Amino acid sequence: LFAGVCCCCAALRPRYKRLVDNIFPEDPKDGLVKADMEKLTFYAVSAPEKLDRIGAYLAERLSRDVVRHRYGYVLIAMEALDQLLMACHSQSIKPFVESFLHMVAKLLESGEPKLQVLGTNSFVKFANIEEDTPSYHRRYDFFVSRFSAMCHSCDHDPEIQTEIRIAGIRGIQGVVRKTVNDELRATIWEPQHMDKIVPSLLFNMQKIEDIDSRIGPPSSPTGGEKEENPALLAENCFRELLGRATYGNMNNAVRPVFAHLDHHRLWDPNEFAVSCFKIIMYSIQAQYSHHVIQEILGHLDVRKRDSPRVRAGIIQVLLEAVAIAAKGSIGPTVLEVFNTLLKHLRISVDFELGDRRSSAGSATFSTSSKESDERIVQNAIIQTIGFFGSNLPDYQRSEIMMFIMGKVPVLGTSSQSLDTSHLGDLGTRRIQIMLLRSLLMVTSGYKATTITNALPPPFLDPLLSPSLMEDSELRQLVLEILHNLIDRHDNRAKLRGIRIIPDVSDLKIKRDKISRQDVSFMKKHGQQLYRHIYLGCKEEDNVQKNFELLFTTLALTTIELANEEVVIDLIRLAIALQDIAIINEDNLPMFNRCGIMALVAAYLNFLSQMIAVPAFCQHVSKVIETRSLEASYFLPETIFKDKCNLPKSLEKHEKDLFFLTNKIAESLGGSGYSVERLSVPYVPQVTDEDRLSRRKSIVDTVSIQVDILPGNNTDDKVDNTEEITFEALKKAIDNNGLEEQEKEKRRLVIEKFQKAPFEEIAAQCETKANLLHDRLAQILELTIRPPPSPSGTMTITAGHAHYQSVPVYEMKFPDLCVY
């Protein structure tokens, strides 16, 4: 009777329940009853309105079996659910999905690893199903939290731990795939979800043994490797997540990376951090690269008070990111990158000098170690600036060169440069050197079509200003930057080192015909270049490298910019340098004087072979040969040796050891060169840079007071020289009609240069030069006396001692004071 009642009750049960019950065998080991499963599937497809009831009933049975630990039936229920999901795609499947997700959640909440893996596998299958219409009310918050927790499994059994972690990573991947493509359901990108997903993936990625083997674009590992290696699976999931990020949610995916690296102290050492950001830069869309760079810069600002090694690690990460981004779209972050880096460069110098001041008098190991760490930060910043700039397009690189040059602090000026007022002279020098080193890297490999593009006046003037500083390293950096910009045919490596080149043709110098733009540049700015070379040779702290770079500068100028007119100017400059060493008005050490002589010999040997004038080559070769026999210290191969016997003086040397202007003019004149200007000695122009350079020879000009005595013998005066009298001086300072007189003088000069023959102008200039020379000689022969009482005196500034060898005189006249 009881059996009959049960059969009757079973017959009265809903059909969907009977179909569901039939798929469960008596013994769960037998597995799903396939014939009954086909009937259930056909019923669900035929009556989709019953799907929600089928799902609810399956969920009820599964929950009961989980509680009773009947895991065999749990497996059968999940298999049935999976098959129903794959077979049914109608709109009525939505309620069924809710029941399915509820069952998956039950499995994930259980403490049994097998059930957690089972629930994850079912969820992954569900995630791969493309639904006809999205369900906007469905949320996956629980699954994000649960899968993230599984990624951090610490089970005592390594195999189970790995299995659970792989399940967690695959679950996160399923959540991402299910939600990321739907723009209206973008909850997965909210910070509360990204803060769980990204650190979970990074935690597993840290287990990668060989980081360098897979840095770069996404790899294509085999399916077995993906399933068995949590680190590899996490990396691929991380790449997939970033690849799906859009403009609005990119930052939410990147910021948790910084939090993870900070929390686990992975900036020092920073191998894993570099690996992470390489993966990020290669995975995201190229047009979003500037987002990542902005985030790195922002994090650098946040951690600006951290240890030097941490900051250096962040900057190294920025370098790697910039190296990838520079090949694509960087957007508006170019100047922001440089602004931030230059600001941190100043901060690093401030920290370094602050530590040095605080530990003055007590040289401890910790302080020196911290200073060296700050140097690591500074070198990382310089490397980043240089690498970033060198990878930019030429038009942007020109702007960056101007930008960096504008930041170089110049003593005595107020500009947009970095604020170094509180750093003092030492800090300012450090900033100058590091910025010039950055600029050197930016200009490396820069090939401008014309020299005007490479050295525009707004860039050339501030660049050459440090060449007047009393710092040999600054001057070296300026010359190296000039080499990068002038050398457009990669000849610099062939000219490395100062030496007497036996045959220049063996160097296989590459050169083109001088363009009109280059000729125009040399007419406008050639004297400026000559002047800085001239003054650079006169510095007392010059070492061998300075002379080598000066030689290379002269040689590159000859190759890239020299026409006949420039060649004559360069010869005049070389003879003027030789005169510096011979006359020695600046009291240079003997090594410097011999170094200048060696520089002139090496350059004229190179120049004579480049222009290939036989008589000129013969004169240069003869002088070099004589020096090698009688004064080898005038040649670079000897003077720049470690141990070289220097002469005590140069005054007694014969003329055969020197390059003579008359013989050079004679040799070049026979080959068609216009050599009239060779007879005019080269004298550098005086500019405002002298005031900015803080060079002692300019600032500390000695004032010599000379009394004009009555009755001085002036019979040997030149007739057309105006006599200096009280009336003449009074007339000179009278401002009435001064403007009209000046205008008339200018008109006459312009008219004269427009109409007069060149020979007449040249002869008159030579006559005036001789008159000036004679007049100065007369003044120097006057009696020099101590200054009398200050009343009734006047001061007349006659010139600058540094450039024209004319002291500043104070001449005394009664009852008149003129400055």
Side-chain angles (χ1 to χ4, degrees):
L1 179 61
F2 179 76
V5 172
C6 289
C7 291
C8 182
C9 292
L12 295 175
R13 297 180 70 196
R15 185 181 179 186
Y16 72 90
K17 288 188 177 182
R18 296 199 306 270
L19 292 173
V20 170
D21 291 338
N22 291 339
I23 67 175
F24 292 93
E26 293 183 3
D27 186 357
K29 294 182 181 179
D30 295 336
L32 183 67
V33 181
K34 295 183 179 179
D36 292 324
M37 186 65 215
E38 291 177 358
K39 294 178 182 179
L40 177 61
T41 303
F42 178 77
Y43 177 78
V45 173
S46 303
E49 68 276 3
K50 300 292 185 179
L51 272 174
D52 58 335
R53 300 182 183 183
I54 295 173
Y57 184 61
L58 276 172
E60 181 184 344
R61 288 202 56 152
L62 184 138
S63 299
R64 184 170 63 248
D65 292 336
V66 169
V67 173
R68 295 177 180 178
H69 299 286
R70 297 194 294 186
Y71 298 137
Y73 289 118
V74 173
L75 294 175
I76 294 173
M78 292 306 300
E79 185 178 354
L81 283 169
D82 293 342
Q83 292 190 22
L84 288 174
L85 278 174
M86 300 298 293
C88 302
H89 295 284
S90 65
Q91 294 183 356
S92 302
I93 201 175
K94 299 271 184 284
F96 176 74
V97 171
E98 298 301 328
S99 300
F100 168 79
L101 294 177
H102 176 69
M103 287 182 279
V104 172
K106 284 288 185 183
L107 296 180
L108 297 177
E109 286 178 337
S110 67
E112 183 64 32
K114 292 183 179 179
L115 295 184
Q116 293 179 2
V117 174
L118 178 64
T120 301
N121 293 337
S122 295
F123 183 85
V124 171
K125 293 178 182 177
F126 162 71
N128 292 327
I129 297 175
E130 294 185 5
E131 300 182 51
D132 295 336
T133 56
S135 178
Y136 302 118
H137 67 280
R138 191 185 304 156
R139 298 185 64 87
Y140 297 91
D141 299 14
F142 168 79
F143 296 100
V144 171
S145 300
R146 189 57 195 161
F147 288 137
S148 299
M150 292 169 63
C151 290
H152 293 83
S153 174
C154 296
D155 195 280
H156 61 278
D157 188 344
E159 293 183 0
I160 295 177
Q161 174 182 302
T162 300
E163 189 177 11
I164 295 176
R165 288 188 178 184
I166 289 177
I169 297 170
R170 294 180 66 241
I172 289 178
Q173 194 172 31
V175 173
V176 172
R177 289 176 179 176
K178 194 64 180 175
T179 61
V180 78
N181 288 330
D182 194 345
E183 296 180 359
L184 298 178
R185 191 173 57 213
T187 57
I188 192 66
W189 295 108
E190 293 178 357
Q192 63 265 29
H193 298 320
M194 287 290 105
D195 290 344
K196 298 174 184 177
I197 292 175
V198 174
S200 300
L201 298 176
L202 296 178
F203 177 76
N204 286 275
M205 288 168 58
Q206 286 179 250
K207 304 301 179 182
I208 297 177
E209 295 181 359
D210 187 9
I211 294 176
D212 295 333
S213 63
R214 280 192 322 283
I215 292 178
S219 56
S220 300
T222 61
E225 291 177 345
K226 289 182 181 179
E227 297 297 330
E228 297 176 1
N229 191 341
L232 184 57
L233 184 62
E235 180 183 327
N236 281 277
C237 182
F238 188 52
R239 290 181 186 271
E240 184 177 349
L241 174 68
L242 294 168
R244 297 172 182 266
T246 59
Y247 180 84
N249 48 47
M250 174 61 65
N251 293 342
N252 290 340
V254 174
R255 285 170 185 166
V257 178
F258 294 103
H260 180 82
L261 297 175
D262 290 343
H263 180 71
H264 293 276
R265 300 179 180 178
L266 296 175
W267 295 112
D268 179 30
N270 69 338
E271 287 81 4
F272 180 71
V274 171
S275 170
C276 285
F277 278 92
K278 281 190 173 183
I279 292 172
I280 292 172
M281 297 302 295
Y282 280 116
S283 300
I284 63 175
Q285 300 180 47
Q287 63 267 30
Y288 302 147
S289 298
H290 63 278
H291 279 288
V292 181
I293 295 176
Q294 285 176 330
E295 291 295 323
I296 299 174
L297 293 173
H299 195 68
L300 181 60
D301 287 336
V302 172
R303 303 298 300 271
K304 64 182 179 182
R305 297 291 178 183
D306 280 30
S307 65
R309 291 190 175 272
V310 170
R311 287 181 281 127
I314 299 174
I315 295 169
Q316 180 67 27
V317 167
L318 177 63
L319 172 61
E320 300 294 340
V322 159
I324 300 170
K327 300 174 184 177
S329 172
I330 309 177
T333 59
V334 175
L335 292 182
E336 183 180 355
V337 169
F338 287 100
N339 255 330
T340 304
L341 290 176
L342 294 178
K343 178 181 68 177
H344 284 276
L345 185 63
R346 181 189 58 78
I347 292 174
S348 178
V349 173
D350 195 9
F351 285 161
E352 178 187 358
L353 297 179
D355 295 334
R356 184 178 300 176
R357 287 190 292 265
S358 62
S359 60
S362 59
T364 61
F365 174 78
S366 60
T367 301
S368 60
S369 176
K370 192 168 184 179
E371 286 184 8
S372 63
D373 289 344
E374 289 294 346
R375 294 293 178 93
I376 294 175
V377 175
Q378 296 160 14
N379 290 333
I381 293 174
I382 292 170
Q383 189 178 8
T384 304
I385 291 175
F387 192 86
F388 191 12
S390 61
N391 280 277
L392 290 174
D394 286 345
Y395 72 93
Q396 276 190 327
R397 203 192 305 197
S398 300
E399 296 176 359
I400 295 304
M401 288 159 50
M402 297 282 292
F403 179 79
I404 297 177
M405 199 65 244
K407 295 292 183 180
V408 177
V410 179
L411 297 173
T413 62
S414 57
S415 63
Q416 58 175 352
S417 60
L418 294 178
D419 180 17
T420 58
S421 55
H422 64 288
L423 298 179
D425 290 348
L426 180 60
T428 301
R429 176 187 176 275
R430 291 280 299 152
I431 292 291
Q432 289 172 332
I433 289 177
M434 286 183 286
L435 288 178
L436 289 177
R437 286 175 56 192
S438 303
L439 187 59
L440 178 63
M441 295 189 67
V442 171
T443 57
S444 177
Y446 180 62
K447 296 291 188 298
T449 54
T450 63
I451 196 65
T452 307
N453 295 335
L455 291 171
F459 177 75
L460 179 63
D461 295 338
L463 174 64
L464 293 179
S465 293
S467 69
L468 298 179
M469 300 292 182
E470 290 184 323
D471 189 294
S472 61
E473 188 175 359
L474 281 173
R475 299 196 301 274
Q476 291 171 13
L477 289 170
V478 171
L479 292 175
E480 289 177 330
I481 293 169
L482 277 176
H483 297 170
N484 283 343
L485 298 174
I486 295 176
D487 184 20
R488 291 170 288 178
H489 297 87
D490 298 322
N491 292 312
R492 181 175 37 171
K494 305 171 186 177
L495 301 169
R496 185 172 291 116
I498 180 172
R499 63 196 187 280
I500 302 297
I501 303 174
D503 190 353
V504 174
S505 61
D506 293 339
L507 301 180
K508 298 180 179 179
I509 299 294
K510 298 178 182 179
R511 62 185 306 189
D512 293 330
K513 185 178 180 181
I514 308 301
S515 65
R516 291 184 178 180
Q517 293 87 343
D518 293 346
V519 172
S520 176
F521 174 86
M522 290 304 293
K523 287 183 178 179
K524 293 179 180 179
H525 306 287
Q527 295 299 325
Q528 193 174 1
L529 289 175
Y530 306 150
R531 175 175 182 270
H532 285 80
I533 294 174
Y534 180 86
L535 298 179
C537 290
K538 299 177 68 172
E539 297 294 343
E540 294 185 6
D541 60 342
N542 280 339
V543 295
Q544 179 179 350
K545 185 177 181 180
N546 291 89
F547 289 111
E548 290 178 351
L549 294 174
L550 288 166
F551 167 74
T552 306
T553 304
L554 289 167
L556 289 176
T557 304
T558 304
I559 295 171
E560 297 286 347
L561 303 171
N563 56 7
E564 290 189 7
E565 183 178 351
V566 174
V567 167
I568 297 299
D569 287 337
L570 290 171
I571 294 175
R572 292 175 59 221
L573 175 61
I575 298 301
L577 293 177
Q578 179 178 255
D579 292 340
I580 291 176
I582 297 174
I583 302 174
N584 196 25
E585 295 177 345
D586 297 278
N587 296 320
L588 295 175
M590 186 56 67
F591 170 79
N592 295 62
R593 299 172 68 184
C594 294
I596 294 174
M597 297 291 283
L599 167 65
V600 173
Y603 173 64
L604 289 181
N605 172 71
F606 175 82
L607 176 64
S608 63
Q609 296 186 55
M610 287 295 295
I611 63 176
V613 175
F616 185 25
C617 293
Q618 184 178 0
H619 172 64
V620 172
S621 300
K622 184 177 180 181
V623 173
I624 293 175
E625 183 180 355
T626 305
R627 288 185 178 185
S628 62
L629 296 175
E630 301 180 11
S632 60
Y633 40 78
F634 284 169
L635 299 177
E637 289 80 1
T638 302
I639 186 60
F640 296 124
K641 288 182 179 179
D642 293 337
K643 295 181 179 180
C644 175
N645 295 324
L646 299 175
K648 295 182 179 179
S649 65
L650 304 183
E651 284 72 16
K652 297 182 180 180
H653 286 81
E654 299 293 335
K655 288 186 177 182
D656 294 341
L657 297 176
F658 305 138
F659 301 99
L660 303 179
T661 304
N662 57 347
K663 291 190 176 181
I664 295 176
E666 181 181 350
S667 61
L668 293 179
S671 298
Y673 281 82
S674 178
V675 295
E676 290 83 2
R677 287 170 44 244
L678 280 179
S679 59
V680 181
Y682 171 77
V683 178
Q685 300 173 351
V686 180
T687 68
D688 292 337
E689 290 177 338
D690 304 329
R691 178 178 55 85
L692 308 179
S693 64
R694 285 195 172 182
R695 303 170 80 251
K696 290 182 180 179
S697 54
I698 298 174
V699 177
D700 301 331
T701 305
V702 179
S703 177
I704 303 178
Q705 296 179 336
V706 181
D707 283 349
I708 306 298
L709 297 179
N712 271 347
N713 186 12
T714 57
D715 295 337
D716 55 346
K717 288 183 181 180
V718 182
D719 294 338
N720 58 355
T721 302
E722 183 179 357
E723 183 180 0
I724 299 178
T725 63
F726 175 80
E727 293 297 332
L729 290 172
K730 185 176 180 180
K731 183 179 180 181
I733 64 173
D734 186 7
N735 293 327
N736 294 331
L738 182 61
E739 185 176 354
E740 290 75 7
Q741 294 177 10
E742 290 296 328
K743 287 183 179 180
E744 181 64 19
K745 287 181 180 179
R746 285 196 296 269
R747 188 188 66 79
L748 293 175
V749 170
I750 293 173
E751 183 179 355
K752 180 176 181 180
F753 275 88
Q754 287 177 343
K755 298 180 180 180
F758 175 78
E759 292 78 6
E760 180 182 345
I761 297 175
Q764 185 173 2
C765 291
E766 183 177 2
T767 302
K768 289 186 177 180
N770 293 333
L771 293 176
L772 177 62
H773 181 272
D774 296 339
R775 182 57 180 159
L776 293 177
Q778 296 171 13
I779 294 175
L780 291 175
E781 291 175 358
L782 299 178
T783 304
I784 300 177
R785 297 182 179 180
S789 60
S791 60
T793 63
M794 76 170 190
T795 302
I796 298 178
T797 302
H800 292 270
H802 183 69
Y803 298 106
Q804 302 176 8
S805 302
V806 181
V808 178
Y809 297 97
E810 293 185 358
M811 299 182 176
K812 306 329 183 270
F813 291 86
D815 303 325
L816 182 62
C817 182
V818 180
Y819 290 91

